[in-house]
Every structure is written in structure tokens, then in C-alpha cells.
Amino acid sequence: MSNMDESLVCIKLPLPYNSPSEINVYLLHSRPPVLIDTGLGDSVSFEILRSALAREKVRPHEIKHIFLTHAHSDHAGAAAYWAREYGTVIWANSRETSRLNGSHANFITRNLPSVFYRLGVDKEAVQKAAQNFGPQARAYHRQKLDRFEDLPEGFELPVDGFELSVICTPGHSPGSVSFFENKTSILFTGDTLLSERTPRPTLTTDGPDNLYYDAMIELAQSVDSLATLPISYIFPGHGPPDSPEDLINLARISLARKKRSIMKKISSEITPFDLIRKRNERTGGVYLAVDLYQTRAILESLLADGSLKMEVRGGVEYFQSSKTGP
């Protein structure tokens, strides 16, 4: 790590949430300097970032490349600004396209209510949740890009002085990637592995009419694939650096616990909304999209391993245990 101390700088930018409250943007003092992720696309975040760059004697127009671990707005919200104002080349995995071309924003406002009905949500709960759709959609419209460069598996980043390669780690989002530095064996994981919270999938479209329900399946596979790498240290998208053993073990335990928790609640036929109905009532619907999507992704994982079976009746999904005996 000692030879990376001056060439790698973590810049913490604020987020308007209780947890996580900050996003890690990484400055690499390569030739020219580059950024991993951007933070939100608001003026406060950008001014903090610009001040941090100034302390490192880096001017914004010198940033020629930005590499996105994924395209959630807290990581990619300022990408369009950098591309427009400074001609910075933005890089992201092609499976993040929906968040970077406006289609995810359109899906939120046009398709999400019908998806919720399919998952068993009643009309009143959908109407309450819809109040939060507008701000989410606007955030993704603001980060819309005319174009971006792809980050496929194994691609070597054009960063002079570093040997960074792309590892596709889908799950948190379909196009989530990690960056492995071959000389030092450090790994930038975005939100695939986190030091202060367990990894989780986040609402993402998969085509024009569907959500990405394979998230939990792919997240578990991504964690297993990272466990095979000779990682010395992990630099996550939120929180401090940590050892790979701790974060990988934490992720595996968390993913297994989520599946067990859902299975315990399924004693008879049930909809995805039934599984979170009580929490939704307690929170006034604020977390409906988050909770419902994660629950449905866990159910998909349980369907895949044969623990559950699903039936669609009247346009609503019903799940029950596949076990026929005690």
C-alpha cells in the first residue's frame, strides 16, 4: 500500500441520506489524472469535489476519464456535467445503459405502478409511493449521456501508472463492475462489497417492461468470484477500506440470512407485498420501492434454487413453498 499512498486519494462527498451519508470518489494521480465515480450531480457536491481536486493540484479540465463502478445517481450523478463541461470521457458497463440513456427514468414514471400491482401492492399504497417517483426520475434524467464507453470484463483501463482491469460484478445493479489493480492487488468495489453495510440489489430495469429480478442470484455469484482473487485491500464506494476476508464473509452471511428470513415468513401462499406490508405501513410507504424490489429479488433466488414455486393469477404473483411434506 505504501507506493499507492500519494497516487490514490479518497474524496468523500455528502449524500442526503442517513445511511450512507457519504460517497467515496477516488482520484488516481495517473497521467492524466482520472476519477472513479462522480458523486451526485448537485452544485454542493461538485464544489466540494473541485476544492479537493485543487488541494491535489488538479484542475477539472485535466480529468480526461471517469470510470463508473455503476450508474446509480450517487455514483454517476455528475457524469453528464463532466462530459458536457470538460469533454471528459465517461466509462460504464453496457448493462448500465438504462440509467444513462433516460429509459430507467421513463420506466419509473410509466411502468413502475403496473409492476407494483403485479407484486400485490394495493392501489392506496401505490398512490402513496408514486409521490416519490418524480424526484427519482428527474435525477436519472439529469445524468442522461449522449454516449459513454463500455467497460467489459477483463478490459484494461487506459490509466498510465496503474494496471487496472475490469471485473464484472453484477447484482447491486446489472452493470456493476469492480476495478482490480494488478500491481498492488487492491480492489475498488463500488457498492458490491461495503465496509459499513451489507450489499443489496437496488431497483433496476431489465428491458422496457421488466425489473432486474436476477439481482440476488448474480450478487451471490459476484461475491464468490471476488473471493477467488488475491486481493490485498478493498476500497468500497461507501465507508473506509477494509480487508477482503471481512467484507466477503459479511456479504455471504448477509445474503444467506436474507433468504432464510423470507422463507420463515412463507407458511402459505403469499404475495411479495404481503411480505413487507407491515413495514410499509410503519414507514408510510417511503421505502416501498426499495423493500418490494429487494424482496422480489430474494424470491427469484429462492425460485431458482427450488425452494419456492410461483403462480400468477389475475395479474398478481403468488409464492408458496415447494415442499409438499412436513
Side-chain angles (χ1 to χ4, degrees), residues 165-183:
S165 57
V166 174
I167 300 172
C168 291
T169 48
H172 180 67
S173 70
S176 286
V177 297
S178 298
F179 303 121
F180 186 67
E181 212 289 322
N182 294 280
K183 292 186 295 184

Side-chain angles (χ1 to χ4, degrees), residues 253-325:
I253 291 170
S254 170
L255 295 175
R257 184 186 297 123
K258 291 177 190 294
K259 294 174 70 172
R260 288 196 303 270
S261 176
I262 290 293
M263 283 300 298
K264 288 179 179 179
K265 297 177 181 178
I266 302 178
S267 57
S268 59
E269 191 175 69
I270 196 168
T271 70
F273 183 58
D274 288 334
L275 291 165
I276 66 160
R277 187 183 296 272
K278 289 183 179 180
R279 172 173 165 79
N280 182 72
E281 292 171 353
R282 289 197 305 269
T283 62
V286 173
Y287 303 108
L288 174 61
V290 174
D291 292 341
L292 188 64
Y293 173 71
Q294 290 186 56
T295 298
R296 183 57 181 83
I298 296 170
L299 290 169
E300 188 72 14
S301 178
L302 291 166
L303 284 172
D305 67 22
S307 298
L308 296 179
K309 55 185 178 180
M310 179 184 74
E311 182 180 349
V312 180
R313 296 196 310 274
V316 178
E317 297 179 359
Y318 294 89
F319 293 81
Q320 64 183 67
S321 172
S322 59
K323 296 180 180 179
T324 56

Side-chain angles (χ1 to χ4, degrees), residues 28 30-32 34 65 67 156-164:
L28 304 184
S30 58
R31 298 177 294 275
V34 303
H65 300 277
F67 304 102
E156 295 185 3
L157 304 188
V159 182
D160 190 17
F162 294 78
E163 294 181 8
L164 285 161

Side-chain angles (χ1 to χ4, degrees), residues 68-71 91-98 100 148-153 166-170 174-177 179:
L68 301 177
T69 59
H70 59 295
W91 298 75
N93 182 267
S94 60
R95 292 184 72 188
E96 295 295 277
T97 297
S98 69
L100 296 171
F148 65 91
E149 300 297 323
D150 189 21
L151 290 173
E153 175 72 28
V166 174
I167 300 172
C168 291
T169 48
S176 286
V177 297
F179 303 121

Side-chain angles (χ1 to χ4, degrees), residues 13 23-26 35-41 45-46 49 66-68 72-80 82 90:
L13 301 180
I23 169 77
N24 295 333
V25 172
Y26 293 101
L35 293 177
I36 295 177
D37 291 338
T38 71
L40 292 170
S45 293
F46 184 75
L49 177 56
I66 291 176
F67 304 102
L68 301 177
H72 288 161
S73 57
D74 57 333
H75 291 256
W82 281 91
I90 307 300

